[in-house]
Amino acid sequence: MKFTLILINFLLFTLHSITTYSLPFVVFHGISDKCSNGGITHFTELLSNWSGSSGHCIEIGNGEWDSWFMPFAKQVDIACQKLKKMSELSEGYNMIGLSQGNMVGRGVIEFCDDGPPVRNLISLAGPHAGIASIPFCGSGIWCILADSLLKLAIYSNFIQAHLAPAGYIKIPTDIANYRKGCKFLPVLNNEVHRNSTYKKRFASLENLVLIMTSWFGYYPDGSFTTVLPAHKTKLYTEDWIGLKKLDEAGKVKLFKVCGSHLEISTSEIKKNILPYLLDNVSTTVTKSRSSGLLWPSSFDDEEKILTPAKTISLRSWKF
């Protein structure tokens, strides 16, 4: 009898361990931020505690400085080498990108040869289709430097090599120079030369979770008059990177949250991010009749992560 009880307890413990196992996850922070800042640290620890998985913020050089002035090709290479050295990621991991950190994260997914596999990409406010102007910075010394660089041609070799956001600035009325001179986003989005390996790697994601404003919508070439929804862009219709393939397989999850850039409530984190850090949890979504993309069934929570006492901030800097 005693042996039977011991066996039952062992089996229950084993079953519990299997059902609650979660892959490790990594976080890429946004521009002018760093992993040691309180908001990023708390966000990572919070998700790690909730999911039961190990979480790691991946720092690239001096985050506050290099997120502005290190070109993305170098940032991605540094991240790639760091991730390949992390043995705990060898069986796969989940990735969370915050704002500009999504550029590095997607670069890792598409460009990192022999890197550990990424299962889910969770993107919060990622500029995946580009931005039409430089992020507002402020009056600090590196902001003054960035502003001075902008007075030069944004698609010049010098600016592209010394100002990171220039790598994903896409001026709709200057597409020819963008495709010729912009060194990062046209490659990341397979806009000029279609690279089947990049597309295959991106399309291999199990889930692509896009939290507003990360939905791949953008201005049409030649115009600032309107923003096309993702499913009407050429990136989607011609399936440059595998976004359409992911969507048709039901792997794209679109969520809208209340608040401005990088504001999200703790309850929305639990509802829209946490499930994709847990191997055995599914999220209920409904399908939009007009777009074919997946949309959340409700947006009923408005508690902001910046609410005093109850929540945290995901960044120390705002634009």
Side-chain angles (χ1 to χ4, degrees):
M1 181 68 177
K2 184 177 180 180
F3 174 79
T4 302
L5 290 175
I6 292 174
L7 180 60
I8 291 173
N9 287 331
F10 173 78
L11 290 173
L12 288 173
F13 175 79
T14 303
L15 180 62
H16 175 75
S17 299
I18 293 173
T19 56
T20 59
Y21 170 75
S22 297
L23 290 171
F25 68 90
V26 303
V27 176
F28 287 104
H29 64 69
I31 193 171
S32 200
D33 213 337
K34 58 183 178 181
C35 288
S36 59
N37 279 342
I40 300 298
T41 300
H42 187 37
F43 176 72
T44 305
E45 292 176 349
L46 200 65
L47 284 173
S48 184
N49 291 336
W50 286 346
S51 66
S53 59
S54 59
H56 311 270
C57 180
I58 306 301
E59 191 65 277
I60 300 168
N62 180 330
E64 289 182 322
W65 178 268
D66 288 324
S67 61
W68 272 102
F69 299 115
M70 182 186 290
F72 277 110
K74 186 174 181 180
Q75 291 192 46
V76 170
D77 182 62
I78 291 173
C80 173
Q81 299 310 317
K82 282 191 172 188
L83 293 169
K84 287 197 287 188
K85 292 178 181 178
M86 297 174 66
S87 58
E88 61 269 40
L89 307 184
S90 61
E91 298 301 316
Y93 66 103
N94 297 312
M95 179 185 290
I96 301 173
L98 304 177
S99 190
Q100 181 179 284
N102 284 280
M103 297 289 96
V104 181
R106 278 189 54 209
V108 167
I109 293 170
E110 295 182 32
F111 308 152
C112 185
D113 295 330
D114 302 316
V118 180
R119 301 291 182 82
N120 298 324
L121 171 59
I122 303 160
S123 172
L124 179 59
H128 295 290
I131 58 175
S133 63
I134 196 73
F136 174 74
C137 185
S139 58
I141 185 167
W142 51 77
C143 297
I144 294 173
L145 177 58
D147 184 63
S148 298
L149 290 174
L150 283 178
K151 297 184 185 301
L152 304 174
I154 194 68
Y155 297 131
S156 69
N157 289 335
F158 181 81
I159 298 296
Q160 290 292 311
H162 293 89
L163 188 63
Y168 59 94
I169 291 181
K170 183 177 182 179
I171 307 300
T173 53
D174 196 16
I175 292 299
N177 284 325
Y178 158 75
R179 289 175 177 161
K180 180 180 179 180
C182 190
K183 303 301 183 185
F184 187 73
L185 190 66
V187 180
L188 187 71
N189 282 346
N190 261 343
E191 293 188 53
V192 180
H193 303 291
R194 307 288 192 265
N195 187 302
S196 60
T197 298
Y198 300 164
K199 179 177 179 178
K200 181 179 179 180
R201 288 173 176 172
F202 188 71
S204 71
L205 290 169
E206 293 180 8
N207 288 286
L208 173 62
V209 182
L210 302 174
I211 301 174
M212 192 69 172
T213 52
S214 304
W215 290 3
F216 280 92
Y218 204 67
Y219 300 104
D221 292 354
S223 174
F224 274 103
T225 58
T226 186
V227 175
L228 296 174
H231 67 284
K232 291 187 178 180
T233 64
K234 289 184 178 179
L235 181 146
Y236 181 91
T237 58
E238 297 179 4
D239 208 16
W240 296 346
I241 59 171
L243 178 62
K244 184 177 181 180
K245 180 178 180 180
L246 284 170
D247 182 34
E248 291 178 342
K251 296 180 179 181
V252 177
K253 312 299 191 297
L254 300 182
F255 296 114
K256 183 177 181 180
V257 297
C258 300
S260 59
H261 187 70
L262 285 185
E263 287 185 355
I264 186 171
S265 70
T266 52
S267 55
E268 285 167 335
I269 291 174
K270 288 182 178 179
K271 182 171 65 175
N272 300 332
I273 296 178
L274 181 60
Y276 299 98
L277 301 181
L278 303 172
D279 283 355
N280 299 311
V281 179
S282 60
T283 298
T284 302
V285 292
T286 57
K287 197 161 188 176
S288 165
R289 294 179 182 176
S290 59
S291 70
L293 292 171
L294 293 175
W295 295 83
S297 55
S298 64
F299 316 122
D300 54 3
D301 218 335
E302 297 187 6
E303 178 194 13
K304 301 294 182 299
I305 212 161
L306 297 179
T307 302
K310 293 183 179 181
T311 54
I312 61 173
S313 171
L314 290 181
R315 55 182 175 166
S316 59
W317 171 88
K318 299 181 71 173
F319 62 76

